C-alpha cells in the first residue's frame, strides 16, 4: 500500500460526491472518509423547468459535480442541440461519461477564469447560454459571457444547507495523528470553522489542509491555516498523498 501523507483524509464536500471520491481514493490505497459540513438539496421547480430551458440553449455550462448529478438525469435522452461545457476536468469527465458527448473544459485550471479563456467562448453574439449551478453562485461567469454577447440564463438546481459533521470521528482522529482535510469550496471552509468553534479550533489548525483552488486556499489562510496545500484535481491529490513525506 502506498505511503500516505497523513493517516486519514476527511473529504469536506457534499455527501454524494464525498462518498464517491472516498471509494476511488480507497482503491488507490488512501484512507478517506466523508466529512460533510453542508449538503445540497435539489430545487424541484428548477429541475422541472430545466428541459424546456435547455431545449432553447446553444450552450449548457455545468459548474460543479453536484449540478451534473442532479440535472443530467432530467436531460438524458432528450434531443439537445446545445454544446456542453464544464469549469473543470473532473466535472467534464463525469458529464462526458454520462452523455457520451464531447464536453468543453479548460485543459489547465478548474474554475470560471480558465473556462473563459477558451476560444469557443470568446464571441457569443446571438447565442443563448444556460448556466446550471446552485443558488447564489459566483456572478463572474455569467457577467463575462453576457459582455461577449450571450443571452445568459440560470438553472439554479440546488441550494446548500448546513449539516452537522461527525465531530466524534474528528475527535478520535485528532487525539492520535491529526487527519488531513480536503476542502472543495470556500463556503465549506467557513462552515467547517464555524462548526468547530473555539473548543476545536486548535485541533483543527493542527491538521493538514488541502484546497482544490487558490481562492479556497486564500480563504483558509484568512481562517488561520498557515500553509494550505493545493491539489487542482484528483490526480494531483493522489500524487500529493502517496508521494514522499
Amino acid at each position: 500500500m502506498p505511503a500516505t501523507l497523513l493517516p486519514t483524509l476527511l473529504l469536506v464536500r457534499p455527501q454524494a460526491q464525498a462518498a464517491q471520491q472516498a471509494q476511488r481514493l480507497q482503491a488507490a490505497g488512501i484512507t478517506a472518509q466523508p466529512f460533510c459540513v453542508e449538503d445540497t438539496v435539489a430545487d424541484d421547480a428548477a429541475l422541472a423547468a430545466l428541459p424546456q430551458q435547455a431545449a432553447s440553449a446553444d450552450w449548457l455550462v455545468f459548474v460543479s459535480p453536484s449540478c451534473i448529478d442532479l440535472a443530467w438525469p432530467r436531460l438524458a435522452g432528450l434531443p439537445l442541440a446545445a454544446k456542453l461545457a464544464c469549469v473543470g476536468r473532473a466535472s467534464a469527465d463525469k458529464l462526458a461519461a454520462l452523455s457520451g458527448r464531447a464536453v468543453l473544459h479548460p485543459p489547465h485550471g478548474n474554475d470560471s477564469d480558465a473556462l473563459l479563456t477558451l476560444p469557443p467562448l470568446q464571441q457569443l453574439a446571438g447565442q443563448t447560454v444556460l448556466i446550471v449551478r446552485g443558488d447564489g453562485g459566483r456572478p463572474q461567469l455569467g457577467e463575462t459571457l453576457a459582455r461577449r454577447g450571450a443571452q445568459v440564463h440560470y438553472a439554479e438546481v440546488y441550494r446548500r444547507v448546513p449539516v452537522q459533521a461527525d465531530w466524534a470521528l474528528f475527535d478520535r482522529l485528532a487525539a492520535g495523528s491529526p487527519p488531513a482535510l480536503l476542502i472543495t469550496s470556500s463556503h465549506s471552509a467557513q462552515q467547517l470553522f464555524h462548526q468547530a468553534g473555539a473548543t476545536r479550533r486548535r485541533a483543527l489548525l493542527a491538521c493538514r489542509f488541502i484546497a482544490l483552488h487558490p481562492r479556497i486556499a486564500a480563504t483558509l489562510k484568512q481562517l488561520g491555516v498557515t500553509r494550505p496545500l493545493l491539489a487542482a484535481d484528483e490526480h494531483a491529490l493522489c500524487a500529493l498523498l502517496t508521494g514522499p513525506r
Side-chain angles (χ1 to χ4, degrees):
M1 180 179 296
T4 56
L5 184 64
L6 289 172
T8 301
L9 176 66
L10 298 180
L11 305 173
V12 184
R13 65 186 315 164
Q15 180 64 39
Q17 284 76 49
Q20 294 166 7
Q21 187 173 34
Q23 289 184 339
R24 294 193 301 270
L25 293 173
Q26 294 282 5
I30 296 167
T31 301
Q33 296 192 44
F35 193 74
C36 305
V37 297
E38 61 181 5
D39 210 349
T40 56
V41 175
D43 186 315
D44 292 334
L47 289 169
L50 180 62
Q52 184 174 354
Q53 285 183 287
S56 60
D58 298 292
W59 285 94
L60 295 177
V61 182
F62 296 80
V63 303
S64 73
S66 293
C67 293
I68 297 169
D69 288 340
L70 290 170
W72 189 254
R74 302 296 183 106
L75 302 175
L78 298 180
L80 296 175
K83 303 178 183 70
L84 305 179
C86 289
V87 299
R89 181 181 295 275
S91 292
D93 289 345
K94 174 189 281 284
L95 184 56
L98 290 171
S99 67
R101 298 175 54 185
V103 180
L104 181 72
H105 67 280
H108 306 290
N110 59 345
D111 59 11
S112 298
D113 294 332
L115 181 65
L116 287 166
T117 66
L118 301 182
L121 298 181
Q122 301 308 304
Q123 301 294 331
L124 295 169
Q127 297 189 51
T128 299
V129 178
L130 179 62
I131 298 176
V132 185
R133 67 180 190 177
D135 66 330
R138 294 177 68 230
Q140 177 199 15
L141 178 61
E143 290 175 351
T144 302
L145 295 176
R147 287 196 296 270
R148 295 175 182 177
Q151 289 189 332
V152 178
H153 302 283
Y154 297 94
E156 297 189 330
V157 297
Y158 68 83
R159 56 189 173 86
R160 300 172 182 85
V161 295
V163 296
Q164 191 66 20
D166 186 354
W167 289 103
L169 167 65
F170 176 85
D171 292 341
R172 290 196 302 272
L173 294 172
S177 181
L181 295 101
L182 175 68
I183 312 296
T184 61
S185 76
S186 294
H187 195 269
S188 290
Q190 293 162 346
Q191 181 65 20
L192 175 72
F193 276 82
H194 174 73
Q195 284 195 21
T199 57
R200 289 189 174 92
R201 180 174 175 80
R202 178 175 292 184
L204 197 58
L205 291 175
C207 299
R208 185 68 58 91
F209 284 82
I210 304 170
L212 289 184
H213 190 276
R215 186 170 56 249
I216 303 171
T219 298
L220 288 169
K221 289 180 180 179
Q222 292 171 359
L223 291 166
V225 178
T226 54
R227 290 191 297 274
L229 301 174
L230 278 174
D233 54 33
E234 199 160 294
H235 296 294
L237 176 65
C238 288
L240 179 66
L241 292 172
T242 60
R245 291 174 180 255

